[in-house]
Amino acid sequence: MKRVLNFIDGQFEPPCSGRYLPDVNPATGQVIAELAESGAEDVDAAVAAASRAFDAWRRTPAEERSRLLIRVAERIEENFEELAQLESEDSGKPIALARRIDVPRAVRNFRFFATAILHVETPAHMTDDRALNYTIRQPLGVAGLISPWNLPLYLLTWKVAPAIAAGNCCVAKPSELTPLTADRLAALIAEAGIPPGVVNIVHGPGASAGRALTSHPKVPLISFTGGTKTGADVMAHAGPLFKKVSLELGGKNPNIVFADADLDQAVPTSIQSSFANQGEICLCGSRLFVEKPIYDEFLGRFLEGTKKLRIGDPLDASTDVGALVSDAHRGKVEGYVALAREEGGEILIGGKRPRNLPERIQNGYFLEPTVIAGLDCGRRVMQEEIFGPVVTVTPFGSTEEAIAYANSTRYGLSASVWTRDLQKAHRVAAAIDSGTVWVNTWLLRDLRVPFGGMKESGVGREGGFDSLDFFTEAKNVCVKL
Ligand code: NAD
């Protein structure tokens, strides 16, 4: 059985506890590996290695750091298919999605930040003829990076690349549910020639390994992506130590379709935004709001398209909907389907475990794409993040009503707006409380733009120079003239 070890100071190390956790393939229910069950001692060793490597790494010229990061991108490209397969087997996601989104994005993350650091500028301020102020930006030291299971390699590299590009060393703690691509990345990082200690990866549960990182006194910065409740715990431990913290948290994103929308685009993209990765993307549009005059037509076409989604073996390239990440998570999602019924909702399609699955995946954690109508915005199903293949659909009567519905949750991560009326699109985009608004599209990502959430969807922004700002500290030098 494959054992996923920690990667500390350039070496693969067993956990101090000597214990391992099972790693399950959600499509089959089989244990496919075991991973280090790490705790505070392992995190201590990783932080010590990162601290030792920091001085030489921060002094490494930007061009050299850039060259090494590009080599990591190339190593990921050379191992593209293996990584796509590992990601699919570990998380249950369709391999087509891993090939189209997860692995290409990991490559882009390294290339993007490798080149971004060659274009950094810092300001200077003249104080009349009395002084010259100039700003320098310096890495902080050891960055703590904590990532979730839904886009494992994509989100891990979204943190590792800018952290080390900016001159920090890092200790990363990937999700204990999906450790395989992080483990492979560690080897590729070593092969690329990144010096030992610059990137360290510690596996294990959030409550032990994760919290050891957020409360470690020698880790001055935490970049966390995960659930809102966990984000509060991260903040509670990092806050008293005055760490710099970036939190990318949950969402309950509205998808607003106006009567003048181009339905040939709005319908298929809304099916994607509802069910891609089994709805396990923080940016999925889980609340559909459709303007009354087209409600019936839109819904008819949306249901028809959803029924055509192929649920099946994630390793089959034609599969659209794979398995949910764990049995416990599927149970949680099914709990929300039951709650929707109690709250007076109508399950239009889905809500059940699919039958007649191929032999290999009969014990997998599958759930049909589910569409629920008839719920008020205040209901729990309309308020809480479900993070599964479940979407609610609600008619609206006016632009003001659509905005009020969109803003009626405590989340504010992303939104989509579908209309041919540009003025309306700009007005609605400005009025929605979310860090990202897509107009007539979904999930189109330019890595330069600020990314993050409002309200309980997060704190801070990452992306482009926002990431490089986060992973460095500004210092002003004032010289009297
Ligand atoms: P999670 O919060 O359970 O876990 C995320 C990571 O935090 C894991 O590595 C976990 O081990 C670790 N962790 C758990 N408890 C911890 C603690 N007390 N201290 C430190 N670390 C701890 O989230 P998840 O279930 O892995 O991921 C799903 C969630 O992530 C959803 O809510 C989703 O919306 C969110 N998400 C947000 C974004 C974004 O960019 N905003 C992107 C992807 C996922």
Side-chain angles (χ1 to χ4, degrees), residues 282-303:
C282 55
L283 302 167
C284 275
S286 52
R287 292 179 300 147
L288 244 173
F289 299 109
V290 184
E291 202 166 9
K292 282 177 184 161
I294 56 151
Y295 183 78
D296 289 339
E297 184 193 351
F298 178 91
L299 190 58
R301 289 171 64 172
F302 183 80
L303 293 178

Side-chain angles (χ1 to χ4, degrees), residues 146-149 173 176 206 224-227 230 233 248-250 282 385:
I146 302 176
S147 50
W149 48 259
K173 211 301 282 171
E176 61 275 31
F224 171 82
T225 300
T230 319
D233 190 76
E248 304 284 358
L249 308 176
C282 55
E385 186 185 46

Side-chain angles (χ1 to χ4, degrees), residues 146-151 155 158 173-177 204-214 224-231 233-234 237 247-251 280-283 329 385 387 411 413 451-453 457:
I146 302 176
S147 50
W149 48 259
N150 64 327
L151 299 163
L155 287 171
W158 179 238
K173 211 301 282 171
S175 170
E176 61 275 31
L177 296 180
S208 55
R211 201 175 280 162
L213 204 48
T214 57
F224 171 82
T225 300
T228 294
K229 223 172 128 202
T230 319
D233 190 76
V234 169
H237 287 84
L247 302 176
E248 304 284 358
L249 308 176
E280 297 167 326
I281 301 181
C282 55
L283 302 167
H329 185 58
E385 186 185 46
F387 217 56
Y411 292 108
L413 190 57
F451 178 85
S457 285

